[in-house]
């Protein structure tokens, strides 16, 4: 069994993955409530919380996986906050030394990229490799608070970046929009809830698209446009039209995601399309993207709610799914943290770029 550890940001998480059965247990401690008061994650507080919570979470994991059953330890080595990553990597190395098992470093973004396939494995563990191969080449969309990227997974399970955001991430655009609208943090789910009762065509915001034919994303203009719109309204008007504002703003963000995804699916032949990251929780986005895939005869796979935000299940799973594709760092006890690790390199791009 593989023990997975995750502590890249504000979630302390532990999971046990058995290749023959799937994820047999997942334990997580979220710090959202702690950081809420500051409107964002405070690195010093976050790393202290990881220090406090790994112990109790590991004690619970040891109930389902005795130390003797652990074959490997997988830990997020980046990207993320340095002090937070260090907590996970130090814990993983200590356990590896004590239990005399290998420790490997996982790229958190690649773990997100593979997260839509956790369900495929769970449905038939013995057949995973054959079933997954049938879905390649794959086009994936990762949408989270820090990343927005389209990438491919080829037949050798190699990952390549297709495009990324030139400024804000989609989740960040939703969070910043929510802040302007006087909603709480994180804003994405709050905007979704209010948008349900609103008219998505009530307001026109510039489409959050960089040049039409480009696959790159850009969301900063959209946020500025919302600010101008709100400046022209009275507090009472904003109050009564909040649902329409949310629905229209969310539509502008999602239109960029669905249009660029459709464009990418038309440029090359893919056998599957995947959705991952925190924003993947959004129903409206799920529906829009599954339609885009269905219209082009491409299978649609999305990460399930337990694996959209930060979690250790996807880390343990990726360590296994990527065991032969070169995506896992095997430095062992020499493993280092990599706070700005990119998702992958772009096509023909020798320099590593952020996602
Ligand atoms: P992550 O960065 O993967 O931890 O995901 C957090 C991001 O996902 C934040 O920007 C949230 O606002 C966003 N998010 C979470 N749930 C939803 C949702 N239901 N709709 C839209 N955005 C969401
Ligand atoms: Mg994440």
């Amino acid at each position: 069994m593989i023990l997975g550890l995750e502590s890249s940001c504000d979630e302390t998480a532990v999971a046990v993955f058995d290749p023959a059965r799937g994820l047999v247990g997942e334990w997580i401690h979220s710090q959202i409530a702690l950081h809420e008061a500051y409107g964002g994650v405070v690195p010093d507080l976050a790393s202290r919380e990881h220090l406090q919570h790994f112990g109790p979470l590991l004690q619970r994991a040891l109930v389902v996986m005795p130390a003797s059953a652990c074959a490997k330890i997988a830990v997020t080595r980046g990207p993320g906050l340095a002090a937070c990553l260090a907590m996970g990597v130090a814990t993983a190395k200590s356990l590896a030394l004590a239990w005399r098992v290998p420790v490997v470093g996982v790229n958190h973004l690649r773990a997100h990229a593979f997260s839509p396939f956790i369900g495929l494995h769970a449905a038939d563990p013995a057949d995973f490799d054959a079933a997954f191969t049938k879905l390649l080449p794959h086009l994936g969309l990762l949408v989270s608070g820090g990343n927005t990227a389209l990438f491919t997974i080829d037949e050798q399970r190699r990952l390549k970046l297709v495009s990324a955001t030139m400024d804000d991430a989609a989740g960040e655009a939703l969070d910043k929009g929510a802040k302007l609208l006087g909603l709480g943090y994180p804003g994405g789910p709050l905007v979704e809830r209010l948008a349900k009762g609103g008219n998505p065509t009530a307001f026109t915001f510039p489409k959050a698209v960089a040049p039409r034919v480009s696959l790159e994303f850009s969301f900063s203009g959209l946020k500025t446009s919302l600010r101008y719109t709100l400046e022209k309204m009275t507090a009472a008007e904003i109050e009564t039209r909040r649902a329409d504002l949310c629905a229209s703003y969310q539509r502008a963000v999602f239109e960029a995601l669905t249009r660029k995804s459709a464009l990418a699916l038309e440029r090359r032949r893919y056998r599957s399309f995947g959705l991952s990251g925190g924003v993947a929780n959004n129903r409206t986005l799920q529906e829009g993207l599954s339609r885009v895939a269905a219209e082009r005869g491409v299978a649609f796979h999305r990460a399930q709610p337990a694996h959209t935000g930060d979690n250790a299940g996807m880390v343990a799973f990726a360590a296994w799914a990527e065991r032969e594709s070169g995506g896992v760092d095997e430095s062992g006890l020499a493993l280092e943290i990599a706070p700005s690790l990119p998702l992958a390199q772009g096509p023909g791009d020798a320099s590593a770029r952020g996602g």
Side-chain angles (χ1 to χ4, degrees), residues 6 8-9 108-109 112 142 144-145 147 277-278 308-311 314:
E6 155 66 37
S8 60
C9 188
H108 179 91
L109 298 178
H112 273 302
L142 166 59
S144 67
N147 293 270
T308 51
D310 294 340
N311 67 93
M314 70 177 188

Short mmCIF file of all heavy atoms in Angstrom, two decimals, residues 6 8-9 108-109 112 142 144-145 147 277-278 308-311 314, ligand 2:
data_model
loop_
_atom_site.label_atom_id
_atom_site.label_comp_id
_atom_site.label_asym_id
_atom_site.label_seq_id
_atom_site.Cartn_x
_atom_site.Cartn_y
_atom_site.Cartn_z
N GLU A 6 0.01 15.17 2.01
CA GLU A 6 -0.17 16.45 1.29
C GLU A 6 -0.18 17.59 2.30
O GLU A 6 -0.90 17.54 3.30
CB GLU A 6 -1.49 16.39 0.51
CG GLU A 6 -2.15 17.72 0.19
CD GLU A 6 -1.37 18.61 -0.77
OE1 GLU A 6 -0.74 18.07 -1.71
OE2 GLU A 6 -1.36 19.84 -0.56
N SER A 8 0.74 21.16 0.85
CA SER A 8 1.31 22.25 0.04
C SER A 8 0.76 23.62 0.40
O SER A 8 1.41 24.63 0.17
CB SER A 8 1.06 21.97 -1.45
OG SER A 8 -0.31 21.88 -1.70
N CYS A 9 -0.44 23.66 0.98
CA CYS A 9 -1.03 24.97 1.27
C CYS A 9 -1.77 24.93 2.61
O CYS A 9 -1.12 24.84 3.65
CB CYS A 9 -1.94 25.37 0.12
SG CYS A 9 -2.56 27.06 0.24
N HIS A 108 2.30 18.20 -7.23
CA HIS A 108 0.91 18.43 -6.84
C HIS A 108 -0.01 18.70 -8.05
O HIS A 108 -1.15 18.23 -8.08
CB HIS A 108 0.89 19.63 -5.88
CG HIS A 108 -0.45 20.03 -5.39
ND1 HIS A 108 -1.00 19.53 -4.24
CD2 HIS A 108 -1.36 20.89 -5.90
CE1 HIS A 108 -2.20 20.08 -4.06
NE2 HIS A 108 -2.44 20.90 -5.05
N LEU A 109 0.50 19.44 -9.03
CA LEU A 109 -0.33 19.76 -10.19
C LEU A 109 -0.56 18.54 -11.07
O LEU A 109 -1.64 18.35 -11.63
CB LEU A 109 0.32 20.89 -11.01
CG LEU A 109 0.48 22.20 -10.25
CD1 LEU A 109 1.18 23.24 -11.11
CD2 LEU A 109 -0.88 22.73 -9.79
N HIS A 112 -3.25 16.56 -9.51
CA HIS A 112 -4.56 17.08 -9.93
C HIS A 112 -4.89 16.54 -11.32
O HIS A 112 -6.01 16.13 -11.59
CB HIS A 112 -4.54 18.61 -9.99
CG HIS A 112 -4.85 19.28 -8.69
ND1 HIS A 112 -6.02 19.09 -8.00
CD2 HIS A 112 -4.15 20.20 -7.97
CE1 HIS A 112 -6.02 19.84 -6.90
NE2 HIS A 112 -4.90 20.51 -6.86
N LEU A 142 -7.19 21.98 -15.89
CA LEU A 142 -7.00 22.12 -14.44
C LEU A 142 -7.41 23.54 -14.05
O LEU A 142 -6.85 24.51 -14.57
CB LEU A 142 -5.52 21.86 -14.08
CG LEU A 142 -5.05 22.29 -12.69
CD1 LEU A 142 -5.86 21.59 -11.60
CD2 LEU A 142 -3.58 21.97 -12.51
N SER A 144 -8.06 25.84 -10.69
CA SER A 144 -8.05 25.96 -9.24
C SER A 144 -7.84 27.41 -8.84
O SER A 144 -7.90 28.31 -9.67
CB SER A 144 -6.94 25.07 -8.66
OG SER A 144 -5.69 25.59 -9.04
N GLY A 145 -7.57 27.62 -7.55
CA GLY A 145 -7.37 28.98 -7.07
C GLY A 145 -6.05 29.56 -7.56
O GLY A 145 -5.89 30.77 -7.65
N ASN A 147 -4.20 28.01 -10.37
CA ASN A 147 -3.84 27.55 -11.71
C ASN A 147 -5.02 27.46 -12.66
O ASN A 147 -6.12 27.12 -12.24
CB ASN A 147 -3.21 26.15 -11.65
CG ASN A 147 -1.86 26.18 -10.95
OD1 ASN A 147 -0.84 26.37 -11.57
ND2 ASN A 147 -1.89 26.04 -9.63
N GLY A 277 -9.26 20.18 -10.17
CA GLY A 277 -9.02 21.41 -9.41
C GLY A 277 -10.29 21.88 -8.71
O GLY A 277 -11.39 21.40 -9.01
N GLY A 278 -10.14 22.80 -7.78
CA GLY A 278 -11.27 23.25 -6.94
C GLY A 278 -12.48 23.75 -7.70
O GLY A 278 -13.62 23.50 -7.30
N THR A 308 -11.10 17.25 -5.67
CA THR A 308 -10.95 18.48 -6.45
C THR A 308 -10.03 19.46 -5.72
O THR A 308 -9.13 20.02 -6.32
CB THR A 308 -12.32 19.15 -6.70
OG1 THR A 308 -12.98 19.29 -5.45
CG2 THR A 308 -13.15 18.36 -7.67
N GLY A 309 -10.27 19.66 -4.45
CA GLY A 309 -9.41 20.54 -3.67
C GLY A 309 -8.13 19.79 -3.31
O GLY A 309 -7.87 18.71 -3.84
N ASP A 310 -7.33 20.35 -2.43
CA ASP A 310 -6.10 19.66 -2.05
C ASP A 310 -6.44 18.43 -1.22
O ASP A 310 -7.25 18.48 -0.31
CB ASP A 310 -5.20 20.61 -1.27
CG ASP A 310 -4.72 21.74 -2.17
OD1 ASP A 310 -4.78 21.56 -3.40
OD2 ASP A 310 -4.31 22.78 -1.64
N ASN A 311 -5.80 17.32 -1.54
CA ASN A 311 -6.08 16.06 -0.84
C ASN A 311 -4.90 15.12 -1.04
O ASN A 311 -4.10 15.30 -1.97
CB ASN A 311 -7.36 15.44 -1.39
CG ASN A 311 -7.22 15.00 -2.84
OD1 ASN A 311 -6.90 13.86 -3.11
ND2 ASN A 311 -7.42 15.91 -3.79
N MET A 314 -5.18 11.92 -4.14
CA MET A 314 -4.66 12.09 -5.50
C MET A 314 -3.13 11.99 -5.52
O MET A 314 -2.54 11.62 -6.54
CB MET A 314 -5.12 13.43 -6.11
CG MET A 314 -4.50 14.66 -5.47
SD MET A 314 -5.06 16.17 -6.32
CE MET A 314 -3.99 17.39 -5.50
MG1 LIG B 2 -4.43 22.28 -5.28
#
